[in-house]
Amino acid sequence: MRALMALAAITAIAGCVAAVPIDRPSDYTAPSKLRSCRVDLPQGWKDELSRNKSEAGPHEQVTIVGANEDAGTTLVRTTRNRTTELVLRDSKKRQQVMAVQDDAQLFGVEFDGRWVTFSTTPSPSDRTTTTYAWDSRNDGAPVRIGDSGAVVHNGKAAWSDAKGVHLYDLVKKKDRIVGQGKEPAFLGDTVMWLQDGKFRAEVALPEPLRNAKPDSVASDGRTVVWTQADALHGWREGWTEPRELAGIKNPPKAEGIVFPRVSGDFVSWQSESSYVTDIRSRATAHTTEGAYWLEVHGGALTQQGSRVAATAPLSALSPLKSC
């Protein structure tokens, strides 16, 4: 097993904290740390991924970083010849969103089916962040909206910085501060965020979320998931209380649960390698063979590995069976 190239870089920027994704070798994997229900990755999932697979050249890296609700439109980040390009593509067209040169980084891509938000930094050593929004219905240039990574939902973007939590209407181009805190996420059209280890919002929170103690949070607008100590929790409307979805055995100084993402009935997350949890059964698949990474984006399960990138529609995936 190869060692990690680097842990997540956490850099204070204008009073906020920006998390840059962990950089690992493309063939890196690690033993499972699960203490909750573990199942093998279904063969049907592997078959679906193999139907839409792209192979990169020897000096090229291709990563699928976004998808719309039915996975028919994807956002692809490609690096070759010291140029990193973000492209939106479907069966009919290919639109370049932005390209950066040399050591510049392009990351934090989010997509609500129309609007794309993403961030750039000049280099790995200079993590000064600029965040942009781009309207896929128009062939215009991306527009700078802030200096901290954003989430996007139904034409609204949200981010946090030294001024507070921003809610930005991308159509009207209007920005307002809705509170103080970090890590905003959408629940329906309401933005919520973390403050002093609790969820906060402009409006009254659902009762089951009021006593949660989240470390980090993600949402697809319907389901909220969060890390809490060495466990992954979730809640959606209709549940009387939050549920523990997965847990890990986490020795001191080891990596906890990081980068949760939720879409529909699936949550992807990382802890030295990648995991996918089915909210319905609370079963988790851990990727061990082929040394690749799985992540949910919109309506797609995406695969990243050594010179390989693939997608599978979430609607085509069978549920993970409970233990």
Side-chain angles (χ1 to χ4, degrees):
M1 174 174 43
R2 295 175 62 180
L4 300 184
M5 291 177 66
L7 292 179
I10 307 296
T11 306
I13 301 173
C16 69
V17 175
V20 178
I22 293 172
D23 184 19
R24 314 181 200 266
S26 58
D27 61 352
Y28 178 82
T29 191
S32 172
K33 297 166 65 175
L34 278 171
R35 60 169 171 77
S36 53
C37 174
R38 178 188 174 188
V39 297
D40 293 333
L41 197 70
Q43 183 61 45
W45 288 31
K46 299 176 187 178
D47 294 342
E48 288 293 336
L49 287 166
S50 68
R51 290 188 181 99
N52 188 14
K53 181 165 60 175
S54 301
E55 294 193 13
H59 303 292
E60 181 181 45
Q61 183 178 10
V62 178
T63 310
I64 298 160
V65 291
N68 68 344
E69 188 174 1
D70 66 4
T73 301
T74 57
L75 285 152
V76 182
R77 183 181 62 211
T78 303
T79 300
R80 64 169 77 88
N81 298 327
R82 299 188 65 81
T83 297
T84 298
E85 182 183 30
L86 180 64
V87 172
L88 183 140
R89 68 186 186 188
D90 59 24
S91 60
K92 298 180 181 179
K93 64 180 181 296
R94 179 187 186 278
Q95 292 175 274
Q96 185 191 77
V97 181
M98 178 176 274
V100 296
Q101 304 295 322
D102 299 324
D103 292 331
Q105 311 289 297
L106 194 158
F107 61 96
V109 180
E110 298 292 338
F111 184 39
D112 70 357
R114 173 183 175 181
W115 294 93
V116 180
T117 58
F118 62 95
S119 298
T120 64
T121 60
S123 70
S125 59
D126 181 355
R127 298 197 181 275
T128 304
T129 303
T130 305
T131 298
Y132 298 89
W134 180 74
D135 186 355
S136 65
R137 293 184 185 176
N138 300 316
D139 197 19
V143 176
R144 180 187 173 278
I145 59 172
D147 301 317
S148 181
V151 292
V152 62
H153 179 74
N154 284 349
K156 303 284 176 56
W159 68 90
S160 63
D161 59 19
K163 295 179 181 179
V165 177
H166 296 249
L167 181 61
Y168 187 90
D169 189 311
L170 292 164
V171 176
K172 297 178 180 178
K173 297 181 174 58
K174 290 186 176 181
D175 181 27
R176 64 187 182 93
I177 304 295
V178 295
Q180 297 296 317
K182 62 179 183 177
E183 292 195 45
F186 285 95
L187 182 57
D189 290 327
T190 298
V191 67
M192 53 191 292
W193 59 89
L194 306 186
Q195 184 182 12
D196 300 326
K198 295 281 191 179
F199 286 123
R200 297 286 188 263
E202 276 192 295
V203 299
L205 285 166
E207 181 67 32
L209 296 180
R210 295 178 188 175
N211 294 323
K213 298 178 180 179
D215 299 316
S216 63
V217 61
S219 174
D220 65 356
R222 176 193 176 207
T223 303
V224 181
V225 298
W226 63 93
T227 61
Q228 187 170 320
D230 295 334
L232 178 74
H233 296 258
W235 180 84
R236 61 175 43 158
E237 188 175 357
W239 292 4
T240 57
E241 59 184 9
R243 299 176 185 176
E244 182 175 306
L245 304 177
I248 61 171
K249 298 170 285 188
N250 193 28
K253 298 184 180 179
E255 181 178 298
I257 295 176
V258 295
F259 304 122
R261 297 186 62 87
V262 58
S263 186
D265 291 317
F266 296 103
V267 186
S268 63
W269 49 280
Q270 298 179 22
S271 187
E272 296 181 4
S273 52
S274 72
Y275 299 78
V276 179
T277 298
D278 191 321
I279 291 172
R280 296 160 293 188
S281 62
R282 287 182 265 187
T284 299
H286 171 241
T287 55
T288 55
E289 56 184 77
Y292 55 80
W293 293 75
L294 297 176
E295 206 168 50
V296 294
H297 290 273
L301 176 70
T302 68
Q303 174 186 332
Q304 176 189 351
S306 178
R307 297 178 57 184
V308 172
T311 60
L314 293 179
S315 59
L317 302 183
S318 60
L320 296 178
K321 295 181 180 180
S322 60
C323 296

